[in-house]
Amino acid sequence: SDWKYGRPSMLPALYATSAALQGYDAYSTLTALKNGGREANPLMKGIVKSPAAFVAMKAGVTMASIMASEQLWKNNHRFGAIGLMVASNLMMGVVAKHNAQVLSNLK
């Protein structure tokens, strides 16, 4: 598509990937905790005690990154918008991979 007027299809795909990775992180974290795992991130130790608060925070983080990317896009920072989402998804991909390993070790 013409980047001058519309978003490349890559951006919505990155948004969907972000939501999926955040969702998997919430699911895998809560599942691991139920099965005897522990939260490794000291910043998350408090919030994971409330699954509803944790899921709401994950949804908020997802929306904040998408809104930041949209703002970058609207301000003609095209590569910044894509870069933000790629970096966020890479980071969450590492977290998801770690969580999957933890879950397989707990079962």
Short mmCIF file of all heavy atoms in Angstrom, two decimals, residues 13-53:
data_model
loop_
_atom_site.label_atom_id
_atom_site.label_comp_id
_atom_site.label_asym_id
_atom_site.label_seq_id
_atom_site.Cartn_x
_atom_site.Cartn_y
_atom_site.Cartn_z
N ALA A 13 -0.79 -5.91 11.58
CA ALA A 13 -0.29 -7.26 11.90
C ALA A 13 0.58 -7.20 13.16
O ALA A 13 0.50 -8.08 14.02
CB ALA A 13 0.49 -7.83 10.73
N LEU A 14 1.39 -6.15 13.28
CA LEU A 14 2.22 -5.98 14.48
C LEU A 14 1.35 -5.73 15.71
O LEU A 14 1.66 -6.21 16.80
CB LEU A 14 3.22 -4.84 14.28
CG LEU A 14 4.40 -5.12 13.35
CD1 LEU A 14 5.12 -3.84 12.98
CD2 LEU A 14 5.36 -6.13 13.98
N TYR A 15 0.25 -4.99 15.53
CA TYR A 15 -0.67 -4.74 16.65
C TYR A 15 -1.31 -6.06 17.11
O TYR A 15 -1.41 -6.33 18.31
CB TYR A 15 -1.78 -3.77 16.26
CG TYR A 15 -1.32 -2.37 15.92
CD1 TYR A 15 -2.13 -1.53 15.17
CD2 TYR A 15 -0.09 -1.88 16.34
CE1 TYR A 15 -1.73 -0.23 14.85
CE2 TYR A 15 0.32 -0.59 16.03
CZ TYR A 15 -0.50 0.23 15.28
OH TYR A 15 -0.12 1.50 14.96
N ALA A 16 -1.75 -6.86 16.15
CA ALA A 16 -2.38 -8.14 16.48
C ALA A 16 -1.37 -9.07 17.17
O ALA A 16 -1.71 -9.75 18.15
CB ALA A 16 -2.93 -8.80 15.21
N THR A 17 -0.14 -9.06 16.68
CA THR A 17 0.91 -9.88 17.29
C THR A 17 1.17 -9.42 18.72
O THR A 17 1.32 -10.24 19.63
CB THR A 17 2.21 -9.81 16.46
OG1 THR A 17 1.92 -10.28 15.14
CG2 THR A 17 3.32 -10.66 17.07
N SER A 18 1.20 -8.11 18.92
CA SER A 18 1.41 -7.55 20.26
C SER A 18 0.32 -8.02 21.21
O SER A 18 0.60 -8.50 22.33
CB SER A 18 1.42 -6.03 20.19
OG SER A 18 1.52 -5.46 21.49
N ALA A 19 -0.93 -7.93 20.78
CA ALA A 19 -2.06 -8.36 21.62
C ALA A 19 -1.96 -9.86 21.92
O ALA A 19 -2.18 -10.29 23.07
CB ALA A 19 -3.39 -8.03 20.93
N ALA A 20 -1.59 -10.65 20.92
CA ALA A 20 -1.46 -12.10 21.12
C ALA A 20 -0.34 -12.42 22.10
O ALA A 20 -0.51 -13.26 23.00
CB ALA A 20 -1.21 -12.79 19.78
N LEU A 21 0.81 -11.75 21.96
CA LEU A 21 1.93 -12.00 22.86
C LEU A 21 1.61 -11.57 24.29
O LEU A 21 1.94 -12.28 25.24
CB LEU A 21 3.19 -11.29 22.36
CG LEU A 21 3.87 -11.93 21.14
CD1 LEU A 21 4.89 -10.97 20.53
CD2 LEU A 21 4.52 -13.25 21.51
N GLN A 22 0.97 -10.43 24.45
CA GLN A 22 0.59 -9.97 25.79
C GLN A 22 -0.44 -10.92 26.39
O GLN A 22 -0.37 -11.25 27.59
CB GLN A 22 0.03 -8.55 25.75
CG GLN A 22 1.06 -7.48 25.40
CD GLN A 22 2.02 -7.15 26.53
OE1 GLN A 22 1.94 -7.67 27.64
NE2 GLN A 22 2.96 -6.26 26.23
N GLY A 23 -1.38 -11.38 25.58
CA GLY A 23 -2.38 -12.34 26.05
C GLY A 23 -1.74 -13.65 26.47
O GLY A 23 -2.07 -14.20 27.52
N TYR A 24 -0.79 -14.12 25.67
CA TYR A 24 -0.09 -15.36 26.03
C TYR A 24 0.72 -15.16 27.31
O TYR A 24 0.77 -16.07 28.15
CB TYR A 24 0.81 -15.85 24.89
CG TYR A 24 1.56 -17.10 25.31
CD1 TYR A 24 0.89 -18.32 25.39
CD2 TYR A 24 2.89 -17.05 25.69
CE1 TYR A 24 1.54 -19.47 25.83
CE2 TYR A 24 3.55 -18.18 26.14
CZ TYR A 24 2.88 -19.39 26.20
OH TYR A 24 3.52 -20.51 26.66
N ASP A 25 1.34 -14.00 27.46
CA ASP A 25 2.10 -13.73 28.68
C ASP A 25 1.19 -13.80 29.90
O ASP A 25 1.54 -14.42 30.90
CB ASP A 25 2.80 -12.37 28.61
CG ASP A 25 3.64 -12.09 29.86
OD1 ASP A 25 4.32 -13.01 30.35
OD2 ASP A 25 3.58 -10.96 30.36
N ALA A 26 0.02 -13.18 29.81
CA ALA A 26 -0.92 -13.21 30.93
C ALA A 26 -1.35 -14.65 31.22
O ALA A 26 -1.28 -15.10 32.37
CB ALA A 26 -2.15 -12.34 30.63
N TYR A 27 -1.76 -15.38 30.18
CA TYR A 27 -2.20 -16.77 30.35
C TYR A 27 -1.08 -17.63 30.94
O TYR A 27 -1.29 -18.37 31.91
CB TYR A 27 -2.65 -17.35 29.00
CG TYR A 27 -2.63 -18.85 28.97
CD1 TYR A 27 -3.65 -19.59 29.57
CD2 TYR A 27 -1.56 -19.54 28.39
CE1 TYR A 27 -3.61 -20.98 29.58
CE2 TYR A 27 -1.51 -20.92 28.40
CZ TYR A 27 -2.53 -21.64 29.00
OH TYR A 27 -2.49 -23.00 29.02
N SER A 28 0.11 -17.56 30.34
CA SER A 28 1.20 -18.45 30.77
C SER A 28 1.70 -18.09 32.16
O SER A 28 2.03 -18.98 32.95
CB SER A 28 2.33 -18.45 29.74
OG SER A 28 2.84 -17.14 29.53
N THR A 29 1.74 -16.81 32.48
CA THR A 29 2.17 -16.39 33.81
C THR A 29 1.19 -16.91 34.86
O THR A 29 1.61 -17.51 35.86
CB THR A 29 2.28 -14.85 33.90
OG1 THR A 29 3.30 -14.41 33.00
CG2 THR A 29 2.62 -14.39 35.32
N LEU A 30 -0.09 -16.67 34.64
CA LEU A 30 -1.09 -17.09 35.63
C LEU A 30 -1.15 -18.61 35.75
O LEU A 30 -1.31 -19.15 36.85
CB LEU A 30 -2.46 -16.49 35.28
CG LEU A 30 -2.52 -14.96 35.38
CD1 LEU A 30 -3.84 -14.43 34.83
CD2 LEU A 30 -2.28 -14.48 36.81
N THR A 31 -0.99 -19.32 34.63
CA THR A 31 -0.98 -20.79 34.65
C THR A 31 0.23 -21.30 35.43
O THR A 31 0.11 -22.20 36.26
CB THR A 31 -0.99 -21.36 33.22
OG1 THR A 31 -2.15 -20.87 32.54
CG2 THR A 31 -1.01 -22.88 33.22
N ALA A 32 1.39 -20.71 35.18
CA ALA A 32 2.61 -21.13 35.89
C ALA A 32 2.47 -20.87 37.39
O ALA A 32 2.84 -21.72 38.21
CB ALA A 32 3.83 -20.39 35.33
N LEU A 33 1.91 -19.72 37.75
CA LEU A 33 1.74 -19.40 39.17
C LEU A 33 0.81 -20.40 39.85
O LEU A 33 1.05 -20.81 40.99
CB LEU A 33 1.22 -17.97 39.35
CG LEU A 33 2.21 -16.86 38.98
CD1 LEU A 33 1.52 -15.51 38.99
CD2 LEU A 33 3.42 -16.86 39.91
N LYS A 34 -0.26 -20.80 39.15
CA LYS A 34 -1.21 -21.79 39.69
C LYS A 34 -0.54 -23.14 39.89
O LYS A 34 -0.96 -23.93 40.73
CB LYS A 34 -2.40 -21.97 38.74
CG LYS A 34 -3.57 -21.08 39.07
CD LYS A 34 -4.78 -21.50 38.24
CE LYS A 34 -5.07 -20.43 37.22
NZ LYS A 34 -5.99 -20.76 36.17
N ASN A 35 0.49 -23.42 39.09
CA ASN A 35 1.15 -24.72 39.13
C ASN A 35 2.48 -24.69 39.87
O ASN A 35 3.35 -25.52 39.62
CB ASN A 35 1.34 -25.25 37.70
CG ASN A 35 0.02 -25.63 37.08
OD1 ASN A 35 -0.66 -26.52 37.56
ND2 ASN A 35 -0.38 -24.94 36.03
N GLY A 36 2.65 -23.71 40.76
CA GLY A 36 3.83 -23.68 41.61
C GLY A 36 4.98 -22.83 41.12
O GLY A 36 6.03 -22.77 41.76
N GLY A 37 4.79 -22.17 39.97
CA GLY A 37 5.85 -21.27 39.49
C GLY A 37 5.86 -19.99 40.29
O GLY A 37 4.98 -19.74 41.12
N ARG A 38 6.88 -19.16 40.05
CA ARG A 38 6.93 -17.87 40.73
C ARG A 38 7.21 -16.78 39.70
O ARG A 38 7.82 -17.04 38.67
CB ARG A 38 7.99 -17.86 41.82
CG ARG A 38 9.37 -18.14 41.33
CD ARG A 38 10.41 -18.13 42.44
NE ARG A 38 11.74 -18.36 41.89
CZ ARG A 38 12.44 -17.43 41.22
NH1 ARG A 38 11.96 -16.23 41.04
NH2 ARG A 38 13.63 -17.73 40.73
N GLU A 39 6.76 -15.57 40.01
CA GLU A 39 7.00 -14.42 39.12
C GLU A 39 8.46 -14.01 39.26
O GLU A 39 8.93 -13.73 40.36
CB GLU A 39 6.07 -13.26 39.49
CG GLU A 39 6.30 -11.99 38.70
CD GLU A 39 6.23 -12.19 37.19
OE1 GLU A 39 5.19 -12.66 36.69
OE2 GLU A 39 7.22 -11.87 36.52
N ALA A 40 9.18 -13.98 38.13
CA ALA A 40 10.60 -13.65 38.15
C ALA A 40 10.85 -12.14 38.12
O ALA A 40 11.86 -11.67 38.63
CB ALA A 40 11.31 -14.31 36.96
N ASN A 41 9.93 -11.39 37.55
CA ASN A 41 10.10 -9.93 37.42
C ASN A 41 9.67 -9.25 38.73
O ASN A 41 8.49 -9.27 39.06
CB ASN A 41 9.28 -9.43 36.23
CG ASN A 41 9.41 -7.93 36.00
OD1 ASN A 41 9.88 -7.19 36.86
ND2 ASN A 41 8.99 -7.50 34.84
N PRO A 42 10.61 -8.63 39.44
CA PRO A 42 10.25 -8.00 40.72
C PRO A 42 9.18 -6.91 40.58
O PRO A 42 8.40 -6.70 41.51
CB PRO A 42 11.57 -7.41 41.23
CG PRO A 42 12.58 -7.59 40.17
CD PRO A 42 12.02 -8.50 39.11
N LEU A 43 9.11 -6.26 39.42
CA LEU A 43 8.11 -5.22 39.22
C LEU A 43 6.69 -5.79 39.10
O LEU A 43 5.72 -5.08 39.28
CB LEU A 43 8.44 -4.40 37.96
CG LEU A 43 9.76 -3.65 37.98
CD1 LEU A 43 10.03 -3.01 36.62
CD2 LEU A 43 9.77 -2.59 39.07
N MET A 44 6.59 -7.07 38.79
CA MET A 44 5.29 -7.71 38.58
C MET A 44 4.82 -8.53 39.78
O MET A 44 3.67 -8.93 39.84
CB MET A 44 5.35 -8.65 37.36
CG MET A 44 5.56 -7.95 36.04
SD MET A 44 4.10 -7.00 35.60
CE MET A 44 4.81 -5.40 35.37
N LYS A 45 5.71 -8.78 40.75
CA LYS A 45 5.37 -9.67 41.87
C LYS A 45 4.09 -9.27 42.59
O LYS A 45 3.30 -10.13 42.95
CB LYS A 45 6.54 -9.72 42.87
CG LYS A 45 7.62 -10.69 42.45
CD LYS A 45 8.58 -10.96 43.58
CE LYS A 45 9.88 -11.55 43.21
NZ LYS A 45 10.07 -12.77 42.65
N GLY A 46 3.86 -7.99 42.79
CA GLY A 46 2.66 -7.53 43.48
C GLY A 46 1.40 -7.70 42.66
O GLY A 46 0.40 -8.22 43.14
N ILE A 47 1.46 -7.28 41.40
CA ILE A 47 0.24 -7.25 40.58
C ILE A 47 -0.24 -8.64 40.17
O ILE A 47 -1.44 -8.84 40.00
CB ILE A 47 0.39 -6.32 39.35
CG1 ILE A 47 -0.99 -5.98 38.78
CG2 ILE A 47 1.30 -6.92 38.30
CD1 ILE A 47 -1.02 -4.76 37.92
N VAL A 48 0.66 -9.61 40.05
CA VAL A 48 0.22 -10.95 39.64
C VAL A 48 -0.62 -11.63 40.73
O VAL A 48 -1.29 -12.62 40.44
CB VAL A 48 1.37 -11.89 39.21
CG1 VAL A 48 2.05 -11.36 37.96
CG2 VAL A 48 2.36 -12.13 40.33
N LYS A 49 -0.62 -11.09 41.94
CA LYS A 49 -1.46 -11.65 43.02
C LYS A 49 -2.95 -11.44 42.70
O LYS A 49 -3.79 -12.15 43.22
CB LYS A 49 -1.10 -11.01 44.36
CG LYS A 49 0.26 -11.46 44.86
CD LYS A 49 0.65 -10.77 46.16
CE LYS A 49 2.05 -11.21 46.57
NZ LYS A 49 2.76 -10.19 47.32
N SER A 50 -3.24 -10.46 41.86
CA SER A 50 -4.62 -10.24 41.41
C SER A 50 -4.69 -10.49 39.91
O SER A 50 -4.30 -9.63 39.11
CB SER A 50 -5.06 -8.80 41.70
OG SER A 50 -6.27 -8.52 41.02
N PRO A 51 -5.17 -11.67 39.50
CA PRO A 51 -5.25 -11.97 38.07
C PRO A 51 -6.00 -10.90 37.27
O PRO A 51 -5.56 -10.54 36.17
CB PRO A 51 -5.98 -13.32 38.02
CG PRO A 51 -5.62 -13.97 39.33
CD PRO A 51 -5.58 -12.83 40.32
N ALA A 52 -7.10 -10.37 37.81
CA ALA A 52 -7.86 -9.35 37.07
C ALA A 52 -7.02 -8.09 36.86
O ALA A 52 -7.01 -7.52 35.76
CB ALA A 52 -9.15 -9.01 37.81
N ALA A 53 -6.31 -7.67 37.89
CA ALA A 53 -5.46 -6.47 37.77
C ALA A 53 -4.32 -6.73 36.79
O ALA A 53 -3.97 -5.86 35.98
CB ALA A 53 -4.91 -6.07 39.14
#
